[in-house]
């Protein structure tokens, strides 16, 4: 159960790292992103596809570039992550709530 969440968080981290590279170095291609991040080409390609489906980037002949939606997404990102962290914190089971054997 937790393993799946951990994998999703790792994948989100990769997607956001790829997005950050596009924002900072647009246009940028798969090979350069793969070389700089150490992620295999197929994982970078997958992240690019996910970001494109979310309309956060778009392909160009020179590589990936950001879209009109990118800045809005980035502006809202920290608040959304904070909400998720708060929700996860509220899910913790305190030692005082543990059932004694």
């Amino acid at each position: 159960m937790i393993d799946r969440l951990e994998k999703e968080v790792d994948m989100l981290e990769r997607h956001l790292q790829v997005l950050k590279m596009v924002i900072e170095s647009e246009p940028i291609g798969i090979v350069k992103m793969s070389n700089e991040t150490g992620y295999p080409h197929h994982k970078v390609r997958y992240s690019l596809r996910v970001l494109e489906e979310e309309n956060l980037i778009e392909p160009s002949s020179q590589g990936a570039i950001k879209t009109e939606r990118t800045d809005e997404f980035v502006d809202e990102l920290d608040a959304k992550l904070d909400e998720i962290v708060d929700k996860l914190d509220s899910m913790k089971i305190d030692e005082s709530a543990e059932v004694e054997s």
Side-chain angles (χ1 to χ4, degrees), residues 22 25-33 48 58-65:
V22 172
S25 304
E26 67 176 333
I28 186 168
I30 292 172
V31 173
K32 184 172 183 180
M33 282 191 257
L48 289 169
E58 59 187 26
S60 76
S61 57
Q62 293 85 27
I65 57 173

Side-chain angles (χ1 to χ4, degrees), residues 5-49:
L5 175 61
E6 198 171 9
K7 287 178 184 174
E8 287 292 326
V9 170
D10 289 344
M11 191 175 353
L12 176 62
E13 181 181 30
R14 186 180 75 234
H15 296 338
L16 293 176
Q17 187 175 3
V18 167
L19 178 61
K20 185 177 178 184
M21 291 184 77
V22 172
I23 292 168
E24 293 173 351
S25 304
E26 67 176 333
I28 186 168
I30 292 172
V31 173
K32 184 172 183 180
M33 282 191 257
S34 179
N35 290 341
E36 290 186 15
T37 62
Y39 293 127
H41 291 194
H42 71 278
K43 289 194 174 197
V44 172
R45 189 176 296 111
Y46 178 73
S47 290
L48 289 169
R49 185 172 50 229

Side-chain angles (χ1 to χ4, degrees), residues 12 15-16 19 46-58 66-73 80:
L12 176 62
H15 296 338
L16 293 176
L19 178 61
Y46 178 73
S47 290
L48 289 169
R49 185 172 50 229
V50 169
L51 294 169
E52 186 177 354
E53 288 171 0
E54 294 291 324
N55 296 316
L56 297 174
I57 64 162
E58 59 187 26
K66 63 185 188 171
T67 66
E68 294 175 3
R69 176 154 159 43
T70 308
D71 290 336
E72 177 187 348
F73 174 82
K80 287 182 180 185

